[in-house]
Structures are given as C-alpha cells and as structure tokens.
C-alpha cells in the first residue's frame, strides 16, 4: 500500500496535508519533546503582532458541547522575537514548511510584521489573520468587510515575496464575497475558517465563563459549517484553500479536501489530544486505501 | 508528557463531595510532587486537570472534589473502568529548596498534592509540619495519612468544629512552628493570604482554567514578576516572590 499524501501549496511541497492550526500548537517547540514534528505537513505558528502582547485576562477558555471557546487575546512575544528566536529554535528540530501567522490592529502593523516575516529565512508561508479589530476604524474587524480585507491583502502583498494566505473570519454575512475580494487583491491562498464568536454563562455565578465575556468557538461542533464555507469559497476562487474548523480525524481531512481544501488545519482537537496530528497522519493511508484513493491530490475539490 | 490508558482500582468518597481515585498503569512520566494529569472524559471536549496525590511505580492516586458535570461523572466510575490520561504535566515542587524543616499548608482539596510532597520530603529525612484548612468538619481529610508519614498535623476549620477556628494562617499565628521553607496549595484567596502573611521563602501551587495543559495553547497564562508564565507548564508551582497578586 503505497499512498501519496503529498500536496502542493503555491509551489511548496507538503509531504501530507495535515497542519496544526495557528494558536493550537504554540510556536512548535512546545511539542518537540512529545513527538517528531517532522511528520507534520507544515506548522502554522501562534498569531504574532508587532509588539509583545500578554493577551486577555483569565479565564480564557470555556468548555462547550463538542467544542470550546477561547479568548487568549493573541498572547505573543512580538514579531522580532518570533523571527530572531522562535523560528530559528524551531528550525533546529523541524525541517518541514513553517507558516507564520500575522495579526495586526492597523494596516501599518500588518505591513511591518509581514515584511519581517517575509525576510525570515525559516518561514515559508505567511498567513494573515484578518479577524482583528481595526483601531483606526472604530474597532471593526478587518475581516468583516470585503474592502478592508482587500486593503490588508494589498498592503501585505506589496511587501512579501513569499506566498500570502489570508485567514478568513466566518463571522460574516457572505464569506465568498470577502474571499473573492482577497483573491482579487492578490492573495496567493486562503485559510478558512477562523473561530466563530461565541459565549457561555456560568449559571451558578450568573457571569460569563470567559473573562472577556465572548471568545472564539471551535472544535468538532463547527465542522459542518466550516466545510460548507470551504466548499463555497474553493468553488468560487482559483487560489488554493487551507481548510480549517473542527477537523478531528483522517476522514474529516478527506472530506475537507473533497470540499476543495488543498491542505487541512487541525485546531481545537490538539488541545484535547496533543497527538491528534500525528495520529491523523498515520491513519490517512488506511482511510485512503478503504476509499480507493492513491493520491490525495486527486480528491481536491472533487465534490 | 505521556498518554496512558489507566484502570481504576478504587474510587471512594473520603470527605464531603470529595473522592479519592487510585489508578493502575504506566506512571513513568510522573516524576515529582506538584505535577498534574489531564483526564479525558466521555462527552467532555477538554480534559480535566487534577493534581497527583500519591504515586508509585505502578499506580497513582488523585483526590478530587465534585464541582461540575465532569467530576460528577468521575465519581460514578467503578473499579475496572478505564480512563485516558495525559501524565507528566507541569512543574512541581522543589523539595531541595527546603533545608531541614518544611511547612506544608493545604486548603480543602489543595491538601491532596502535599501528600506526595510530604513523602518526598520524608525520604530526605526532613521534619514536616502540615497545616490543613477546611470549611467544616465533614470536609476534613488526609490527616491520618500525613500523620502516618511522621508529620505534625494541625487543622483549622472556618466554623471551629475541628481544630483551630479560622484559616491556616490563624494556626500559624497561634502556634510557634519552626520551618525554613513553606509549600502551599489551595484556593486562590488562601494562597494570596499565605503569600502576604507567611514569612520566609516558599512555593505555592496555583489554579487556573486550562486548555491543553501542556503549555502550547496559552489559555492559562498569568502575569508574574518575570513576565507572562503558563500555569500548566511553567507552574502550577511558583515561587512566592515571583507571583503578582
């Protein structure tokens, strides 16, 4: 049983399509002692901003049925530490592609951070999180309008030679319109979806569980909605899509790929099972065999 | 960190709403007192972090309070049932920080991890005094266990039904206990009071709502005097002087 798990993202070869999603795998090194990171297709690093950020007050996490809410608030050491310390340290133990995930609260911040990530040798792909609030526009998230999503894309593309993937928010009325605007503005690819805005209340304390009241809902529960969005966007756009949202098994990976994803990110599942990615990768050839799939490339967008 | 399938040997109530569970399986990843495990429960998305109460080569025990659906489900489990557990999590107590006389301060179910600590200190022939605080008599637990190790044990209860009336810090005011290092575990208000009023060097085991439990999701970060730290990985045990209250 020789199965070809490899895929190509903008000319970059991934030995398999399974990627831990940003924010659910730290800066990679945190898990280096737990399993061989080189089995992964790629790693998407924790979201990074220009300045170091402590993030939100705790509790930052809430249990939900088949999922969880998080409100970490982009805790990170800043782009300079990412490119000078985190990435070089990861590169000592890991040789597959690295995806830097960049966040910003202004177009300037996106531009400066992405230029620094682009100049960092150990980084292969730049993923831009546009779910952050724009401090110059009343705090409305960049990713909630086609115009501001395109603005970020143009700004970043002007300073990057490496492939740029825009990570889309699902908290919008028409994700296809925003995906198309990013593609038209020059995005090399799209990652979708980010988390869904959610909330839980502790009914005994009569207070929100999360200190910041609301947070991003993710986990198995969102899979059908994420899959639907991947399907719609992949069929409306020509650029490659990294599918993300509720993926927890090799079957989910194949389903996402049939919907149109070229690569698949695993997020919240890592938090309940730190070995989720290597387990899914090990399971893939068996599921492919069962479904008479020889190469994963053959199933992308076939539904 | 190691993922292990354990078999429950015993699961019995030891105080009001509080249970002790003994599990059999590969305990090799558990290396010191103050560490915790993450327990996967049917129907729950996130694992439940619980500190190690006692460990040997083939078994380990936890003491847990029923506080929600997850721990209520655990209390219904029977000997022979299996649990998928991540072991070897967290940075525990530093037993070498104590020269010869240790003071252990436990509040409620926070007394549990101090037992393994006491065992390790005992193996180093250190003199141990334990002060345990509870709300009322039916919550009092583990006193005989600590005494069995040769420790001197004081109890405080909020209603005065057992031992000194008040907090563990009230015991310290009334009794003249000699120590060169203290270790504390319990609810956050108790730990704050301990760090503010107990003299000398010490360590406390903090509580925070966790996600992964293994240091990569950053859900349980706290601000310390050395910058942000993850309770699950850099802690849960922190030096008294590093904590920002």
């Amino acid at each position: 049983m020789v199965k070809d798990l490899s895929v190509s993202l903008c000319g970059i070869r991934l030995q398999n399509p399974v990627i831990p999603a940003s924010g659910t795998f730290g800066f990679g090194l945190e898990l280096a002692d737990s399993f061989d990171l080189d089995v992964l297709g790629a790693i998407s690093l924790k979201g990074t901003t220009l300045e170091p950020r402590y993030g939100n007050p705790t509790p930052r996490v809430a249990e939900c049925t088949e999922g969880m809410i998080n409100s970490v608030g982009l805790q990170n050491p800043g782009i300079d530490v990412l490119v000078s310390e985190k990435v070089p340290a990861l590169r000592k133990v890991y040789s597959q592609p690295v995806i830097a995930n960049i966040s910003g609260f202004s177009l300037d911040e996106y531009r400066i951070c992405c230029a620094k990530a682009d100049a960092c040798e150990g980084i292969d792909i730049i993923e831009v999180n546009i779910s952050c609030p724009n401090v110059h526009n009343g705090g409305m998230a960049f990713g909630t309008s086609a115009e501001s999503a395109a603005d970020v894309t143009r700004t970043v593309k002007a300073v990057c030679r490496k492939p740029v993937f825009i990570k889309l928010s699902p908290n919008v009325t028409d994700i296809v319109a925003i995906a198309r605007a990013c593609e038209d503005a020059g995005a090399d690819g799209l990652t979708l979806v980010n988390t869904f805005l959610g909330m839980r209340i502790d009914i005994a304390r009569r207070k929100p569980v999360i200190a910041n009241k609301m947070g991003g809902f993710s986990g198995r529960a969102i899979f059908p909605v994420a899959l639907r969005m991947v399907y719609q966007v992949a069929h409306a756009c020509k650029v490659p899509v990294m599918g993300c949202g509720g993926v927890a098994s090799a079957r989910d990976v194949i389903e996402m790929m049939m919907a149109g994803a070229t690569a698949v990110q695993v997020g919240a599942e890592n938090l309940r099972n730190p070995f989720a990615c290597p387990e899914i990768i090990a399971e893939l050839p068996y599921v492919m065999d069962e479904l008479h799939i020889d190469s994963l490339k053959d199933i992308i967008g076939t539904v | 960190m190691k993922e292990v399938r354990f078999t429950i040997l015993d699961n019995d109530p030891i105080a009001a709403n509080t249970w002790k569970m003994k599990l059999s399986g590969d305990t090799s990843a558990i290396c010191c007192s103050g560490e915790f495990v993450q327990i996967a429960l049917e129907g729950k998305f996130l694992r439940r972090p619980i500190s190690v109460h006692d460990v040997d080569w083939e078994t380990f025990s936890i003491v847990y309070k029923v506080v929600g659906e997850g721990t209520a489900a655990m209390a219904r489990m029977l000997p022979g049932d299996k649990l998928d557990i991540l072991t070897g999590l967290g940075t525990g107590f530093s037993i070498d920080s104590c020269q010869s006389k240790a003071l252990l301060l436990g509040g409620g179910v926070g007394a549990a991890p101090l037992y393994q600590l006491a065992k390790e200190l005992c193996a180093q022939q250190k003199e141990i005094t334990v002060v345990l605080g509870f709300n009322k008599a039916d919550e009092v637990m583990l006193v005989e266990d600590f005494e069995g190790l040769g420790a001197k044990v004081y109890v405080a209860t909020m209603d005065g039904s057992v031992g000194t009336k008040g907090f563990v810090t009230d015991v310290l005011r009334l009794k003249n206990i000699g120590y060169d290092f203290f270790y504390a575990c319990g609810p956050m208000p108790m730990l704050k009071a301990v760090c503010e009023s107990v003299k000398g060097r010490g360590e406390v085991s903090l509580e925070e709502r966790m996600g992964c439990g293994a240091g990569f999701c950053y859900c349980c970060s706290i601000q310390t005097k050395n910058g942000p730290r993850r309770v699950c990985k850099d802690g849960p045990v922190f030096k008294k002087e590093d904590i920002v209250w």
Side-chain angles (χ1 to χ4, degrees):
Chain A
M1 182 178 73
V2 179
K3 298 292 177 188
D4 182 8
L5 275 67
S6 71
V7 294
S8 172
L9 268 185
C10 305
I12 295 168
R13 182 183 184 275
L14 270 55
Q15 60 183 352
N16 66 65
V18 179
I19 304 169
S22 179
T24 67
F25 210 73
F27 297 96
L29 216 56
E30 291 92 334
L31 280 145
D33 293 336
S34 301
F35 65 89
D36 178 10
L37 299 183
D38 267 336
V39 304
L40 299 168
I43 296 176
S44 182
L45 305 180
K46 185 157 170 49
T48 303
T49 51
L50 183 58
E51 301 295 334
R53 279 174 63 88
Y54 167 61
N56 292 332
T58 57
R60 294 174 170 185
V61 62
E63 168 88 27
C64 303
T65 303
E66 292 299 317
M68 55 171 281
I69 294 173
N70 90 84
S71 175
V72 172
L74 290 170
Q75 181 180 342
N76 78 92
I79 187 70
D80 289 335
V81 172
L82 182 88
V83 299
S84 66
E85 294 174 28
K86 298 289 183 188
V87 171
L90 176 61
R91 276 304 181 204
K92 286 186 181 149
V93 297
Y94 171 76
S95 59
Q96 303 301 321
V98 167
I99 303 169
N101 182 288
I102 302 298
S103 286
F105 298 89
S106 68
L107 289 176
D108 270 348
E109 185 171 0
Y110 279 114
R111 183 174 46 76
I112 298 166
C113 288
C114 287
K116 289 185 181 205
D118 195 66
C120 175
E121 203 183 330
I123 293 169
D124 299 284
I125 292 171
I126 293 159
E127 182 174 69
V128 184
N129 171 16
I130 56 169
S131 301
C132 318
N134 179 357
V135 293
H136 298 303
N137 187 23
M140 202 177 100
F142 286 99
T144 54
S145 92
E147 293 73 29
S148 56
D151 285 344
V152 177
T153 309
R154 264 190 299 274
T155 302
V156 169
K157 275 298 289 176
V159 295
C160 290
R161 290 164 299 120
K162 290 171 182 168
V164 171
F165 277 67
I166 305 294
K167 185 167 180 179
L168 303 181
S169 166
N171 303 307
V172 295
T173 46
D174 184 0
I175 197 164
V176 172
I178 291 166
R180 280 194 175 124
C182 293
E183 182 179 40
D184 291 345
D188 300 294
L190 301 163
T191 302
L192 64 148
V193 295
N194 209 321
T195 54
F196 290 78
L197 194 61
M199 184 172 177
R200 292 304 302 272
I201 290 169
D202 179 334
I203 57 172
R205 289 171 52 244
R206 303 188 183 203
K207 282 182 176 162
V209 173
I210 298 262
N212 212 29
K213 295 180 184 156
M214 289 171 258
F217 178 49
S218 61
R220 296 171 180 205
I222 72 165
F223 182 73
V225 194
L227 184 94
R228 182 267 294 177
M229 290 179 166
V230 166
Y231 175 84
Q232 288 179 309
V233 167
H235 285 74
C237 297
K238 292 183 185 68
V239 293
V241 166
M242 286 196 262
C244 183
V247 176
S249 68
R251 286 172 196 282
D252 295 344
V253 169
I254 286 172
E255 198 172 334
M256 270 288 184
M257 294 184 78
M258 286 180 174
T262 299
V264 178
Q265 299 189 349
V266 178
E269 191 66 13
N270 294 316
L271 270 65
R272 66 204 302 271
N273 175 13
F275 305 101
C277 288
E279 285 173 13
I280 289 170
I281 293 161
E283 189 193 355
L284 267 170
Y286 296 95
V287 181
M288 287 168 71
D289 197 47
E290 192 188 313
L291 300 172
H292 311 294
I293 300 164
D294 291 323
S295 168
L296 284 181
K297 286 191 279 284
D298 296 342
I299 63 164
I300 299 168
T302 49
V303 173
Chain B
M1 177 173 66
K2 204 175 211 176
E3 190 179 15
V4 181
R5 209 164 163 73
F6 283 90
T7 304
I8 298 172
L9 295 177
D10 298 303
N11 187 27
D12 300 305
I14 58 165
N17 258 335
T18 308
W19 298 62
K20 181 172 166 178
M21 185 187 279
K22 189 173 185 183
L23 302 115
S24 141
D26 176 3
T27 59
S28 61
I30 305 172
C31 47
C32 75
S33 60
E35 286 185 6
F36 67 97
V37 299
Q38 280 265 71
I39 305 180
L41 296 169
E42 189 76 30
K44 293 291 160 195
F45 192 80
L46 295 167
R47 289 169 187 261
R48 294 298 184 269
I50 301 193
S51 62
V52 174
H53 164 63
D54 189 8
V55 59
D56 61 31
W57 296 110
E58 284 148 355
T59 67
F60 83 99
S61 300
I62 53 172
V63 171
Y64 60 96
K65 195 170 178 179
V66 174
V67 290
E69 290 173 19
T71 40
M74 283 171 61
R76 289 192 295 272
M77 289 178 177
L78 300 169
D81 288 352
K82 313 269 190 220
L83 279 172
D84 167 8
I85 301 180
L86 285 178
T87 58
L89 302 175
T91 303
F93 296 109
S94 61
I95 52 170
D96 295 332
S97 297
C98 171
Q99 301 297 311
S100 61
K101 291 182 178 178
L103 171 62
L104 278 53
L105 304 165
V109 78
L114 301 180
Y115 179 71
Q116 176 62 24
L117 170 67
K119 267 175 57 181
E120 292 170 10
L121 292 166
C122 202
Q124 293 190 338
Q125 275 91 46
K126 284 164 184 168
E127 194 182 311
I128 303 162
T129 306
V130 182
V131 184
L132 303 177
F134 303 95
N135 287 311
K136 45 191 176 30
D138 64 358
E139 291 181 9
V140 176
M141 60 175 180
L142 303 177
V143 173
E144 296 80 12
D145 301 69
F146 283 106
E147 283 172 348
L149 296 172
K152 172 80 184 147
V153 183
Y154 297 95
V155 173
T157 49
M158 289 310 295
D159 63 358
S161 52
V162 180
T164 304
K165 187 176 189 323
F167 298 102
V168 291
T169 44
D170 293 315
V171 176
L172 298 181
R173 268 194 304 107
L174 298 168
K175 315 279 178 190
N176 187 24
I177 301 170
Y179 62 93
D180 63 73
F181 201 85
F182 76 82
Y183 302 90
C185 184
M188 294 296 265
M190 168 202 152
L191 297 179
K192 183 169 188 272
V194 163
C195 286
E196 283 167 356
S197 67
V198 179
K199 293 182 176 63
R201 297 188 311 133
E203 288 179 340
V204 302
S205 180
L206 300 181
E207 259 186 353
E208 191 49 79
R209 186 87 59 132
M210 290 178 187
C212 70
F216 58 89
C217 80
Y218 293 78
C219 282
C220 64
S221 294
I222 55 159
Q223 273 292 13
T224 71
K225 291 187 180 149
N226 306 313
R229 291 289 183 271
R230 300 156 297 178
V231 170
C232 73
K233 183 76 179 179
D234 306 307
V237 176
F238 290 89
K239 284 183 191 147
K240 167 191 163 183
E241 61 268 26
D242 292 344
I243 302 167
V244 179
W245 291 103

